[in-house]
Amino acid sequence: MKPEKKSVPMRQQPADERIRNFDEVPLGYSEEESLSEAFRCLQCVNKPCVNGCPVRVNIPDFIKALREKNFQKAVDIIRETDMLPCVTGRVCPQEEQCQAFCVLNKMGADPISIGRLERFLGDWALAHKKKQEYTADPDTTIGAKNKKVAVVGSGPAGLTCAAELIKKGYAVTVFEGFHKLGGVMVYGIPEFRLPKAIVAKEISVLKDLGVQFMTNVLIGRTLTIEDLFKKGFNAVFIGAGAGLPNFMGIPGEHLNGVYSANEFLTRVNLMKAYKFPEYHTPVKRGERVVVIGGGNVALDSARTAKRLGANHVYLVYRRSEQEMPAREEEIIRAKEEEIEFYFLTNPVKYIGDEKGFVKQAVCIKMQLGEPDASGRRSSHPVQGSEFTIDVDEVIVAIGNTPNPILRITTPGLKTKKRGEIEADENGKTSLPGVFAGGDIVTGAATVITAMGAGKRAATAIDEYLRG
Ligand code: FAD
Ligand code: SF4
């Protein structure tokens, strides 16, 4: 039987409603919708979709179990390689990964909505959550006894590494600098794309497995890496992310009302500034907001500003829409929410009023040139094309680099020019017993690549600790 050409659509909040709240936009598949979508799968023997998944989730097998309505088995299959299915089902760029490899594309049909099925199962598992108990396989735990591993950072890299190591029988403690666990999943990606209660529940699965968590411990300040070894940890995994925002270095970036996306989103997501004064952290609620950048962070900032009540949110991006690194479905949603796009445009300076508050962004038109080191076409200013946008808030979302604190406080830890830790493909750094992975090694990337790095490092740590 030929599969339906079109995938089952996902219901979502209408744009005019959702810009007035922070609730999740896509509403998820029902059981019936999941089953209809799952029955479109051809169960290909050579599993091309799996090759597109950075952590190699066994996609056809979990879809098969879903079709049989054996939801627990389906979740267990996913969790063999992906401990955060509710998260990855929501934020992974499946259209460039597993779904891009789905054989249905070649047949002129929509690929299987693998992410939506994963999200359905992850949510089902949390709704029917049993305490996770894991008896480590004795073969894999030889040498694990009495060995302790410290994980720095509770983002997807750290959490995955912790989960893999606890399953191998090690005692694992995660040290997190913030008061909340989850890394960018909690302080960066907004509630309307990834509800924080879901991240907390996913983390509770790791707590059930026995992972210890210590919040408000900034490694490099509260304790150093060296202190961790002195405290009896036998190995350390650094998954501290890339949390230091970049600025363009143009005039006026110091003005009041100019934020880094990092600060803006942290205030809103982590510190709940959208509920001020119920929560104590304020945030500026601009009426005319300019967001600089073209990635997920820029779109999240723009859509957040809209929800805070802005009349106009302009997204200024130096390349064209084709080059935007943001997820396509989020670009579509941003357009539905009336975010106004200025493509092929770059700011050159910001002008302030007499009190030092930003009032104008001076921008210049850009044109595309040859591909640059990133593979995308470079962009160049068109001389004499400057124009001005009246604004009362600017959010700069042009990328992040790692915070230098660990580099500065860890003698012998080799880093690259922009501060990323030097590590091989298994996370091995220049220091014995110290491993690293995720954004702190690659620079800002994705949740799933960070998870893949955490997983590979866990294997390498296991090998290291067995001598
Ligand atoms: P992080 O998630 O950054 O976690 C690092 C953790 O370490 C943090 O909790 C931090 O507080 C802690 N830490 C740092 N230094 C220390 C220290 N010295 N001591 C103790 N703790 C420390 N990816 C996608 O796949 N899809 C998306 O849709 C997507 N959208 C995004 C939207 C935004 C706004 C942002 C900012 C990123 C987005 N990303 C997205 C990227 C993705 O979230 C990151 O690539 C991923 O979270 C990196 O994981 P990580 O574990 O390496 O680091
Ligand atoms: Fe199913 Fe597509 Fe994977 Fe084939 S490639 S098994 S159709 S998801």
Side-chain angles (χ1 to χ4, degrees), residues 235-273:
V236 176
F237 172 75
I238 305 175
L244 190 69
N246 296 338
F247 280 93
M248 292 176 67
I250 58 176
E253 278 181 323
H254 66 284
L255 289 166
N256 290 316
V258 180
Y259 283 100
S260 68
N262 204 300
E263 179 184 349
F264 176 73
L265 291 172
T266 303
R267 280 176 181 265
V268 178
N269 292 324
L270 189 70
M271 314 305 285
K272 300 273 181 284

Side-chain angles (χ1 to χ4, degrees), residues 7-8 10 29 34 37-38 40-41 47-53 57-60 62-63 66 78 82 85 88-90 92-95 97-105 110-122 327:
S7 66
V8 177
M10 193 188 281
Y29 274 168
S34 295
E37 184 65 9
R40 294 180 62 239
C41 173
K47 307 181 181 187
C49 46
V50 178
N51 295 332
C53 172
V57 169
N58 195 338
I59 294 161
F62 94 65
I63 293 180
L66 196 166
I78 298 175
D82 171 0
T88 50
R90 282 173 168 81
C92 260
Q94 293 103 6
E95 63 282 0
Q97 298 178 342
C98 52
Q99 291 177 193
F101 285 68
C102 176
V103 82
L104 292 182
N105 291 304
D110 290 346
I112 300 295
S113 296
I114 298 165
R116 293 173 181 180
L117 297 181
E118 191 180 50
R119 169 187 166 152
F120 165 76
L121 289 164
R327 292 192 65 190

Side-chain angles (χ1 to χ4, degrees), residues 296-338:
N296 287 319
V297 185
L299 282 188
D300 283 347
S301 304
R303 296 172 70 197
T304 298
K306 193 80 183 181
R307 282 160 175 75
L308 288 172
N311 290 330
H312 290 278
V313 181
Y314 307 104
L315 193 126
V316 168
Y317 179 50
R318 64 189 166 137
R319 293 184 169 101
S320 74
E321 184 169 353
Q322 281 71 39
E323 283 81 27
M324 275 183 88
R327 292 192 65 190
E328 197 186 336
E329 64 178 39
E330 302 303 346
I331 299 173
I332 294 169
R333 290 190 181 124
K335 286 183 179 169
E336 289 168 356
E337 291 170 13
E338 296 182 351

